[in-house]
Amino acid sequence: MLYRTIPKTGDKLSILGYGCMRLPEVDGKIDEERATRQLRYAIDHGMNYVDTAWSYHMGESEPFVGRALGDGYREKVRLATKLPSWLVRTRGDMDRFLDAQLTNLQTDHIDYYLIHVLNTTERLAQLEACGLRAFLDEAKKAGKIVNAGFSFHGPADDFAPIVDAYPWEFCQIQYNILDEENQAGTKGLEYAAGKGLGVIIMEPLRGGNLTDPVPPEVGDIWDRAPVERTPAEWGLRWVWNHPEVTVVLSGMNREEDIEENIRTAGEAYPGSLSETELSLIAKATDTYRELMKVGCTGCQYCMPCPAGVDIPLCFELYNNKYMFKNPDAEMFYVVRLSGVLTSGPEQYASQCVQCMECLDKCPQHLDIPALLETIVEEMEGEGFDEKKQMAREMFAE
C-alpha cells in the first residue's frame, strides 16, 4: 500500500480509502458479516482511511462501521463521516448530529469530519448564519473532531470561495476521467492542493459505470493497450497519477475488487503513466462521452423518490441501451423495474409526478424530471403494458 501525506497535519493516509456507501447487501440490508470481513481485510492489508456518512444505506452505514471497527480496528484507521448539511436549521442541530454520530460510530472522536454536500457559497452562508464556524472550532477544541473539511458537488465558480472561507484541513471532490472539467474539476483539485488541503476523491469510477460491464467500443481500446489492466485499474491509476490527490475512495463490495484495488494501490505512483497510456485513456474517455446519455453516478442522493421511481436504475438501464446496444434493453427495463424480482412495487420512470424534489438533491445537477420523460418515451412505448404482463408471468410463483 502506498501512502500520501495531508500537508497541514502530516497524516500519512493510504492512497486507497474505503467508501461505505455501497456495501454488500442481502434483502435490501447491509450484509454485515460479509461487509465486516471485507472492511477488515482491507485494513489488514494497509488501508487506513474509512469514509461513511449520516445518510448512507438509509442511515445504517454509520452504525455498521461502528460495529465493524470493533476488536481494535478503530485504532488502525482514520475515520471520516459527514454532517448532513441539508438537515441543519440551527447550531443545536450541528451538535446533535455530531453527538449521534459519535454514538453510531462507537468512538469519542472523528478524525476527518466533513460538511456534507457544501455545494454553493449560498449554502455556506446559510450554515455560517447557524454558527458553523463556532461549531467546528469548538468541536475541534473539545476533541470531538480532529480535522475539518467539506464535500463538494457544486458549480466550479463556488469551489475556490468555499476553500478560502475556513482553515479547512481537507476537502472531498468528485474526480475521474469524465469529470476533468465538471464540478471542481482539475482546476479545483489543483487550487485546493495549492492551498495546502488534502484532497479526497470520490466517484473515481463514476459509481462503477466505468468498469462493469464495459461497452465494446471502450473494451477495444483497452485491448490495444501495451499493458494488460482492468478498466477499474485504468480509471484508478489515472486519478492517482495526479500528485495533488491524497486519497481515492472506492465503494468496494466484491472480494475480487478489493484485492485488485489493494494491489493497484501498491503500485500507482503519481506521474507514473506514460504519454502512450494517457493517450489511450483519453480515447476511452471520448468514447464514453459519445455513448453515455445520462451522467448519473448512482449515488442515490435523489432517493427515495416520493412517487416510487427508482431514478438511478432508470438511468442505468437507459444508458445500457445505448452503451451496449442490447436488443433486449427495453425488456430488461420492464423486468428490473416491475418489482417482480424483489416482490416490491413498480418503480418506472412514468410514475414521476414532476414534484421536482430531486433537482436540488442531485450532485450532478441533472434535470431528472426531463430525463425521466425522455426515458418514458424511449423505454415505455408501444407494447409496454404487454411487456409488463409478460414480466409478471415469467416470474410468477
Side-chain angles (χ1 to χ4, degrees):
M1 181 70 67
L2 299 178
Y3 299 83
R4 298 186 187 180
T5 302
I6 296 283
K8 289 188 177 183
T9 69
D11 270 1
K12 294 186 182 299
L13 303 180
S14 57
I15 65 171
L16 176 65
Y18 208 103
C20 296
M21 186 172 74
R22 298 183 176 96
L23 299 165
E25 295 184 335
V26 174
D27 297 329
K29 298 289 185 181
I30 296 170
D31 184 343
E32 186 142 347
E33 181 179 349
R34 183 182 179 197
T36 299
R37 186 170 61 250
Q38 291 176 344
L39 175 58
R40 291 184 177 185
Y41 177 90
I43 295 170
D44 289 339
H45 287 78
M47 192 280 305
N48 71 355
Y49 189 89
V50 177
D51 173 271
T52 183
W54 177 270
S55 58
Y56 292 173
H57 283 276
M58 297 301 194
E60 292 303 314
S61 180
E62 284 183 344
F64 159 75
V65 171
R67 294 187 292 271
L69 291 181
D71 301 325
Y73 278 86
R74 171 67 182 93
E75 290 72 28
K76 298 179 180 181
V77 301
R78 300 294 193 274
L79 180 59
T81 195
K82 309 173 186 75
L83 175 75
S85 66
W86 60 93
L87 297 177
V88 170
R89 300 292 180 269
T90 68
R91 165 58 193 278
D93 289 338
M94 300 180 196
D95 293 310
R96 176 171 57 85
F97 281 118
L98 175 56
D99 288 342
Q101 290 172 299
L102 292 170
T103 299
N104 285 344
L105 292 162
Q106 301 182 31
T107 188
D108 61 359
H109 70 282
I110 308 298
D111 301 291
Y112 287 83
Y113 195 67
L114 301 98
I115 310 305
H116 204 176
V117 196
L118 186 52
N119 286 351
T120 64
T121 53
E122 179 182 8
R123 184 62 183 138
L124 174 62
Q126 293 169 348
L127 291 169
E128 287 179 332
C130 292
L132 177 63
R133 291 173 182 271
F135 163 71
L136 292 173
D137 290 344
E138 292 173 19
K140 292 173 78 171
K141 185 177 180 180
K144 292 183 177 182
I145 66 174
V146 181
N147 302 296
F150 65 94
S151 68
F152 181 85
H153 281 287
D157 290 345
D158 281 5
F159 183 69
I162 294 174
V163 168
D164 295 337
Y166 183 82
W168 313 102
E169 281 83 17
F170 72 113
C171 65
Q172 185 167 309
I173 64 172
Q174 176 171 314
Y175 195 59
N176 54 66
I177 63 174
L178 295 180
D179 288 321
E180 291 184 79
E181 298 181 9
N182 186 35
Q183 300 182 27
T186 301
K187 288 183 179 179
L189 169 65
E190 294 174 348
Y191 186 83
K195 292 287 184 174
L197 275 66
V199 184
I200 313 299
I201 301 301
M202 56 185 158
E203 303 291 0
L205 301 173
R206 273 287 189 104
N209 288 323
L210 300 177
T211 60
D212 184 24
V214 175
E217 296 90 337
V218 177
D220 289 343
I221 295 171
W222 297 140
D223 288 343
R224 296 199 300 270
V227 58
E228 184 177 350
R229 291 176 179 145
T230 66
E233 184 173 356
W234 281 112
L236 291 173
R237 280 180 178 268
W238 182 88
V239 180
W240 278 319
N241 201 57
H242 296 76
E244 300 86 359
V245 169
T246 310
V247 174
V248 174
L249 297 174
S250 178
M252 303 173 282
N253 54 30
R254 297 188 304 186
E255 286 74 11
E256 58 268 30
D257 294 339
I258 297 170
E259 292 172 4
E260 177 185 312
N261 290 353
I262 289 172
R263 176 184 57 76
T264 306
E267 304 170 353
Y269 290 91
S272 60
L273 292 177
S274 69
E275 289 301 318
T276 299
E277 291 170 322
L278 289 171
S279 176
L280 194 80
I281 292 171
K283 290 178 182 177
T285 300
D286 291 341
T287 303
Y288 268 117
R289 289 191 175 123
E290 292 170 2
L291 293 171
M292 291 182 70
K293 294 293 183 179
V294 182
C296 174
T297 69
C299 70
Q300 301 277 332
Y301 285 2
C302 58
M303 297 294 283
C305 166
V309 181
D310 190 330
I311 298 169
L313 185 55
C314 285
F315 290 160
E316 176 188 331
L317 295 168
Y318 181 55
N319 274 335
N320 288 350
K321 175 181 179 179
Y322 288 92
M323 285 198 292
F324 308 112
K325 299 178 177 59
N326 188 333
D328 297 319
E330 292 177 14
M331 194 63 205
F332 277 119
Y333 172 88
V334 171
V335 172
R336 292 284 303 280
L337 293 163
S338 66
V340 297
L341 299 179
T342 61
S343 299
E346 294 182 349
Q347 300 173 304
Y348 296 112
S350 54
Q351 294 168 218
C352 173
V353 296
Q354 302 282 313
C355 69
M356 306 300 175
E357 283 191 19
C358 53
L359 290 177
D360 290 335
K361 298 178 181 179
C362 179
Q364 316 305 323
H365 310 294
L366 301 175
D367 188 345
I368 293 175
L371 288 167
L372 290 175
E373 285 187 341
T374 299
I375 291 174
V376 172
E377 293 173 3
E378 296 197 29
M379 306 293 277
E380 300 186 26
E382 184 177 353
F384 180 60
D385 288 338
E386 289 80 2
K387 290 175 183 174
K388 287 171 62 176
Q389 179 60 35
M390 187 185 304
R392 286 191 288 268
E393 292 174 357
M394 285 169 57
F395 294 93
E397 295 182 359

